[in-house]
């Protein structure tokens, strides 16, 4: 698994539940652990109500590295997030976050995400 540095431009395209900037939050957490900051980053931004985001997956190598230097509750918290990300991917490929079968319209978040990524790629290519 590739570890993208926190200053890699890919982070600017990798959103979480509330926008972009997971790299900044991860770097701050790596510098100084905070239960509140970890709780927000882990269970609001990266894994929000069972939904994952591009930033969730870019974060995995960093989370593994951070966890190596943790013990006790912080390490368990990090393991819980990693487990949650793994379980979230076990959902059927065409089910939206509410459990409703996808009809390939705007209700399906995975298709919306794929469309948005294609649009962003086209814009970046034109520049």
């Amino acid at each position: 698994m590739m570890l993208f540095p926190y200053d890699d431009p890919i982070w600017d395209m990798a959103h979480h539940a509330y926008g972009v900037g997971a790299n900044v939050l991860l770097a701050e957490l790596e510098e100084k652990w905070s239960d509140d900051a970890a709780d927000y980053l882990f269970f609001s931004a990266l894994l929000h109500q069972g939904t994952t985001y591009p930033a969730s997956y870019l974060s995995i190598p960093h989370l593994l590295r951070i966890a190596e230097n943790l013990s006790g509750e912080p390490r368990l918290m990090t393991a819980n997030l990693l487990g949650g990300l793994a379980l979230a991917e076990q959902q059927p490929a065409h089910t939206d976050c509410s459990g409703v079968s996808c009809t390939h319209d705007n209700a399906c978040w995975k298709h919306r995400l794929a469309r948005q990524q294609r649009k962003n790629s086209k814009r970046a290519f034109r520049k």
Side-chain angles (χ1 to χ4, degrees):
M1 184 173 285
M2 185 169 184
L3 187 133
F4 289 92
Y6 291 133
D7 62 351
D8 191 296
I10 197 166
W11 289 100
D12 296 332
M13 297 181 286
H15 71 279
H16 56 76
Y18 299 104
V20 294
N23 55 328
V24 174
L25 299 170
L26 280 165
E28 290 172 356
L29 197 59
E30 190 170 6
E31 174 94 14
K32 184 175 188 279
W33 182 268
S34 159
D35 286 344
D36 290 338
D39 186 57
Y40 168 76
L41 176 62
F42 292 2
F43 304 111
S44 291
L46 296 179
L47 182 63
H48 182 71
Q49 297 178 353
T51 302
T52 58
Y53 305 89
S56 307
Y57 298 102
L58 280 178
S59 299
I60 291 173
H62 293 279
L63 293 165
L64 291 169
R65 187 180 67 200
I66 290 168
E68 287 178 346
N69 299 312
L70 298 174
S71 62
E73 194 66 31
R75 190 171 193 167
L76 179 61
M77 189 180 215
T78 307
N80 283 336
L81 170 64
L82 291 166
L85 292 174
L87 289 173
E89 274 308 297
Q90 300 305 311
Q91 299 299 315
H94 294 291
T95 299
D96 72 8
C97 58
S98 65
V100 175
S101 291
C102 173
T103 58
H104 300 283
D105 63 9
N106 286 338
C108 180
W109 72 269
K110 287 186 178 184
H111 290 120
R112 285 197 317 261
L113 173 62
R115 279 196 299 276
Q116 185 60 46
Q117 287 174 330
R118 284 193 300 272
K119 285 180 190 176
N120 288 346
S121 295
K122 288 177 185 176
R123 277 189 225 131
F125 183 73
R126 285 186 217 147
K127 289 182 181 179

